[in-house]
């Protein structure tokens, strides 16, 4: 049972990617009901509260914080195994709020996404530093758009050249786990635009096996984390 919470208040893309555009949030006696993609996958996003997908959300920090608190407190998620929180890039209000509001829940950790080039890694080093400062464990780093394999000639091109060694080298330097690389595949973008599952649409793609390996590593980390917590209790 998985809950997906989109706290990218100004750029909510999860409804589009999940094929849920135009859906509404319903109120019940127990609070807001998430919008379900599958029986075991519920989603909540500010995108469901906008009258049009093109509406801009022009809010200062306190209003964003209030909505995030409401998403955590007033949504009837039911019994869930995983709560996945999608945050915007950066280290601003949304990140501070979610870490603060979930501090008593002992967050398993953060999965940090980067692309291979130094301009992206520069920002990601700041994210890692942020996690250390707020004592948020880091599950690991994923390198996205990591090389492109031509479907015709099968040659690999580096669209974003890893001039400083890419995410793997950065993880070695900062002593952070490296979860894996997801190659650039145009089908991923198409699936996101159409709101379809890439894993179902392209089961044979190298990106699909990368995703599955990364998912497995995250699950193993979470299982280990819970096992250690139970031993302490």
């Amino acid at each position: 049972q998985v809950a997906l919470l989109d706290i990218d208040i100004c750029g909510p893309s999860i409804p589009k990617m999940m094929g849920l555009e135009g859906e509404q949030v319903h109120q019940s006696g127990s609070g807001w009901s998430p919008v379900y993609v599958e029986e075991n996958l519920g989603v909540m996003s500010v995108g469901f509260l906008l009258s049009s997908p093109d509406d801009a959300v022009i809010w200062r920090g306190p209003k964003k914080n209030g909505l995030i608190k409401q998403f955590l407190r007033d949504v009837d998620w039911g019994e869930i195994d995983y709560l996945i929180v999608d945050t915007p890039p950066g280290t601003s209000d949304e990140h501070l709020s979610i870490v603060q509001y979930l501090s008593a829940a002992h967050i398993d950790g953060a999965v940090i996404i980067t692309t291979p080039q130094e301009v992206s890694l520069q920002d990601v080093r700041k994210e890692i530093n942020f996690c250390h400062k707020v004592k948020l464990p880091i599950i690991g780093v994923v390198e996205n758009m990591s090389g492109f394999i031509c479907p015709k000639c099968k040659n690999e091109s580096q669209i974003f050249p890893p001039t400083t060694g890419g995410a793997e080298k950065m993880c070695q330097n900062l002593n952070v786990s490296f979860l894996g690389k997801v190659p650039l595949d145009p089908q991923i973008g198409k699936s996101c635009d159409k709101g379809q599952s890439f894993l179902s649409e392209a089961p044979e793609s190298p990106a699909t096996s990368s995703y599955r390996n990364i998912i497995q590593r995250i699950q193993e980390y979470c299982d280990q984390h819970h096992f250690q917590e139970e031993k302490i209790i």
Side-chain angles (χ1 to χ4, degrees):
Q1 294 293 331
V2 178
L4 175 57
L5 173 57
D6 179 11
I7 61 165
D8 191 343
I9 308 295
C10 296
S13 51
I14 291 290
K16 174 86 174 166
M17 290 163 63
M18 292 284 158
L20 300 173
E21 254 188 335
E23 294 285 346
Q24 300 289 311
V25 171
H26 298 289
Q27 190 97 27
S28 69
S30 54
W32 285 348
S33 298
V35 180
Y36 283 90
V37 186
E38 309 267 347
E39 277 185 24
N40 66 333
L41 176 57
V43 179
M44 182 54 74
S45 168
V46 72
F48 300 136
L49 309 176
L50 305 177
S51 52
S52 150
D54 298 332
D55 279 1
V57 179
I58 308 168
W59 290 357
R60 291 187 189 275
K63 203 167 179 190
K64 287 181 184 176
N65 298 347
L67 184 67
I68 292 167
K69 191 181 278 187
Q70 214 172 346
F71 279 160
L72 291 170
R73 187 189 58 205
D74 296 345
V75 175
D76 181 14
W77 293 108
E79 287 289 320
I80 54 173
D81 299 304
Y82 293 94
L83 170 65
I84 299 169
V85 182
D86 179 42
T87 66
T91 54
S92 54
D93 292 309
E94 292 89 339
H95 308 82
L96 285 166
S97 298
I98 201 75
V99 170
Q100 181 190 339
Y101 298 151
L102 289 177
S103 59
H106 304 297
I107 303 172
D108 287 305
V111 175
I112 300 172
I113 317 295
T114 185
T115 47
Q117 78 278 33
E118 178 56 28
V119 170
S120 177
L121 295 173
Q122 239 179 4
D123 290 344
V124 164
R125 288 188 194 95
K126 294 179 178 69
E127 301 273 0
I128 291 169
N129 187 255
F130 167 87
C131 290
H132 290 326
K133 283 190 171 173
V134 298
K135 297 185 167 48
L136 176 63
I138 297 170
I139 297 174
V141 175
V142 174
E143 186 174 270
N144 197 16
M145 303 184 188
S146 178
F148 170 70
I149 299 168
C150 173
K152 289 185 179 171
C153 68
K154 303 298 178 195
N155 279 345
E156 186 171 352
S157 306
Q158 294 298 330
I159 309 293
F160 300 106
T163 50
T164 56
E168 198 164 3
K169 180 82 167 66
M170 179 195 71
C171 288
Q172 287 168 4
N173 294 343
L174 298 177
N175 197 24
V176 173
S177 292
F178 180 65
L179 294 174
K181 301 179 178 187
V182 179
L184 196 59
D185 185 332
Q187 183 64 44
I188 298 174
K190 273 188 194 170
S191 297
C192 288
D193 282 353
K194 290 181 177 175
Q196 296 169 331
S197 163
F198 170 73
L199 300 192
S200 307
E201 294 295 306
E204 303 304 316
S205 164
T208 297
S209 66
S210 292
Y211 274 130
R212 293 198 184 282
N213 289 337
I214 290 164
I215 292 163
Q216 190 178 351
R217 294 194 65 181
I218 293 169
Q219 282 180 315
E220 284 167 2
Y221 173 95
C222 292
D223 290 344
Q224 183 65 27
H225 190 239
H226 292 170
F227 177 67
Q228 284 171 349
E229 275 194 342
E230 281 167 13
K231 269 172 59 178
I232 292 164
I233 291 162

